[in-house]
């Protein structure tokens, strides 16, 4: 590549030279890339001067790529046709009323064999739906289903228990307002946790015996956790097992422990700690026990 002519110019004349050079390149018919290739100037050097001089030439704001590239891109955008998109309506679940079910079943009964599939395709249903409708018709007739939450079998019992509990609480509150107990023991109108749980457990036991409902249903009615009910009513039949620690086969015997104690209390080691005694015996080639065992023997004999 040729040496740019601006390198031979003084520093003050280089901006004016590059201004003319960039203006000519913008007006060149074949584009900027062809112009700088013809002049033997690198593209990186060209755009370096473009970035330096661009603040002084607002008309260069569109100078990001050469003109030929912009023309090709505009032509490709014009030729490109975006596909037409159609937003389909959101499908809805079809609802069959009792009259619709009755009409479809009657039509199927009067249709000859081999043409029932056409009816199913027309209505958009499966043969399993026909079997389900026939079963409903045999059991209770094709009646409209009520929408909403399903009723539980123990709902009435729970309502009765709540009414009875509210009545007992209101009557007990009238008697308990006569007493004033200390805050630490809990007031009688608002008993503490233990007495409150005992009262709720009695209500649950009474409800299960009189009405025959389950413990879970009764606990839900009075607002008592079922785990608390079982924890407070269970009885420990067998006492807890005591796991005894097995003696180690490396433990010292009674005679060996007495021997260690006698050495620790001897005139030679009577005023020395177990660590020094342990080191002195090792120097002589004698090993009795560890330092911690010496301390345990002294503690057992109240000498630590």
């Amino acid at each position: 590549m040729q040496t740019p002519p601006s390198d031979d110019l003084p520093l003050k004349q280089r901006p004016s030279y590059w201004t003319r050079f960039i203006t000519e390149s913008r007006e060149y018919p074949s584009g900027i890339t062809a112009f700088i290739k013809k002049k033997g100037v690198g593209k990186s050097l060209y755009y370096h001067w473009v970035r330096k001089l661009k603040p002084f030439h607002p008309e260069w704001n569109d100078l990001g790529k050469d003109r030929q590239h912009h023309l090709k891109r505009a032509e490709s955008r014009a030729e490109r046709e975006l596909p037409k998109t159609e937003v389909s309506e959101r499908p809805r679940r079809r609802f069959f009323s009792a009259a619709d079910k009755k009409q479809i079943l009657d039509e199927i009964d009067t249709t000859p064999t081999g043409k029932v599939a056409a009816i199913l395709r027309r209505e958009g249903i499966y043969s399993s739906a026909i079997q389900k409708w026939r079963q409903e018709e045999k059991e209770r007739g094709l009646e409209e289903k009520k929408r909403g939450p399903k009723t539980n079998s123990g709902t009435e019992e729970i309502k009765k228990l709540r009414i009875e509990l509210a009545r007992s609480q209101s009557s007990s509150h009238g008697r308990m307002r006569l007493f004033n107990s200390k805050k630490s023991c809990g007031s009688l109108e608002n008993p503490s946790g233990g007495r409150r749980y005992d009262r709720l457990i009695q209500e649950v036991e009474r409800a299960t015996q009189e009405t025959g409902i389950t413990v879970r249903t009764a606990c839900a009615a009075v607002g008592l956790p079922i785990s608390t009910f079982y924890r407070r009513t269970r009885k420990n039949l067998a006492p807890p097992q005591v796991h005894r620690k097995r003696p180690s086969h490396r433990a010292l015997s009674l005679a060996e422990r007495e021997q260690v104690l006698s050495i620790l209390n001897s005139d030679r080691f009577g005023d020395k700690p177990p660590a020094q005694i342990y080191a002195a015996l090792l120097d002589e080639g004698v090993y009795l026990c560890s330092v911690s065992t010496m301390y345990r023997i002294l503690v057992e004999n109240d000498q630590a």
Side-chain angles (χ1 to χ4, degrees), residues 197-214:
Y197 284 143
D198 294 340
R199 179 170 52 82
L200 294 178
I201 288 172
Q202 293 176 2
E203 294 288 340
V204 171
E205 291 177 346
R206 183 181 60 82
T208 53
Q209 293 175 1
E210 294 179 358
T211 61
I213 62 175
T214 61

Side-chain angles (χ1 to χ4, degrees), residues 150-200:
K150 296 182 179 180
T151 57
N152 190 5
S153 58
T155 306
E156 298 297 330
E157 289 80 357
I158 292 175
K159 289 182 180 179
K160 292 179 182 180
L161 282 175
R162 288 179 177 175
I163 293 173
E164 293 178 3
L165 182 62
R167 288 176 181 176
S168 61
Q169 288 179 351
S170 60
S171 60
S172 61
H173 287 174
R175 295 190 301 268
M176 292 178 182
R177 287 194 187 95
L178 301 175
F179 301 95
N180 291 321
S181 59
K182 294 183 179 180
K183 185 178 181 181
S184 60
C185 299
S187 63
L188 292 176
E189 294 185 4
N190 299 313
S192 58
R195 290 189 296 169
R196 176 176 173 273
Y197 284 143
D198 294 340
R199 179 170 52 82
L200 294 178

Side-chain angles (χ1 to χ4, degrees), residues 231-245:
R231 185 172 60 251
R232 288 180 169 270
T233 55
R234 69 183 179 185
K235 297 179 181 179
N236 296 325
L237 301 179
Q241 297 180 358
V242 179
H243 298 279
R244 296 182 179 179
K245 188 177 180 181

Side-chain angles (χ1 to χ4, degrees), residues 185-295:
C185 299
S187 63
L188 292 176
E189 294 185 4
N190 299 313
S192 58
R195 290 189 296 169
R196 176 176 173 273
Y197 284 143
D198 294 340
R199 179 170 52 82
L200 294 178
I201 288 172
Q202 293 176 2
E203 294 288 340
V204 171
E205 291 177 346
R206 183 181 60 82
T208 53
Q209 293 175 1
E210 294 179 358
T211 61
I213 62 175
T214 61
V215 175
R216 183 179 297 275
T217 305
C219 290
V222 300
L224 177 69
I226 190 171
S227 58
T228 304
F229 175 82
Y230 284 116
R231 185 172 60 251
R232 288 180 169 270
T233 55
R234 69 183 179 185
K235 297 179 181 179
N236 296 325
L237 301 179
Q241 297 180 358
V242 179
H243 298 279
R244 296 182 179 179
K245 188 177 180 181
R246 295 181 180 179
S248 176
H249 64 279
R250 296 177 296 178
L252 299 178
S253 61
L254 183 60
E256 291 174 342
R257 299 175 78 87
E258 291 179 355
Q259 180 184 359
V260 173
L261 183 62
S262 62
I263 293 175
L264 293 175
N265 293 330
S266 62
D267 297 337
R268 179 184 175 186
F269 301 115
D271 57 346
K272 293 182 179 180
Q276 294 184 9
I277 300 172
Y278 176 81
L281 292 176
L282 282 184
D283 292 340
E284 298 175 1
V286 179
Y287 177 79
L288 297 176
C289 60
S290 63
V291 178
S292 58
T293 304
M294 293 181 182
Y295 276 110

Side-chain angles (χ1 to χ4, degrees), residues 6 10 18 26 67 84 97 130-131 193 209 227 296 303:
S6 62
W18 278 107
R26 286 168 54 83
R67 184 176 301 175
K84 296 180 180 180
S97 61
I130 301 299
Q131 297 175 1
Q209 293 175 1
S227 58
R296 281 196 294 270
Q303 297 184 19

Side-chain angles (χ1 to χ4, degrees), residues 4-7 9 13-25 35-36 41-42 44-50 53 57 60:
S6 62
D7 293 349
L9 298 175
Q13 298 180 7
R14 289 182 184 180
S16 59
Y17 168 80
W18 278 107
T19 301
R20 294 195 306 272
F21 189 91
I22 294 171
T23 304
E24 293 176 3
S25 65
F35 182 82
I36 61 178
V41 178
S44 59
L45 179 63
Y46 175 82
Y47 283 105
H48 167 71
W49 279 102
V50 168
L53 299 174
H57 298 275
W60 294 356

Side-chain angles (χ1 to χ4, degrees), residues 106-124:
D106 293 341
E107 186 178 358
I108 291 175
D109 293 338
T110 58
T111 303
T113 306
K115 296 185 178 180
V116 179
I119 300 175
L120 298 180
R121 287 194 296 270
R122 184 194 66 193
E123 300 295 339

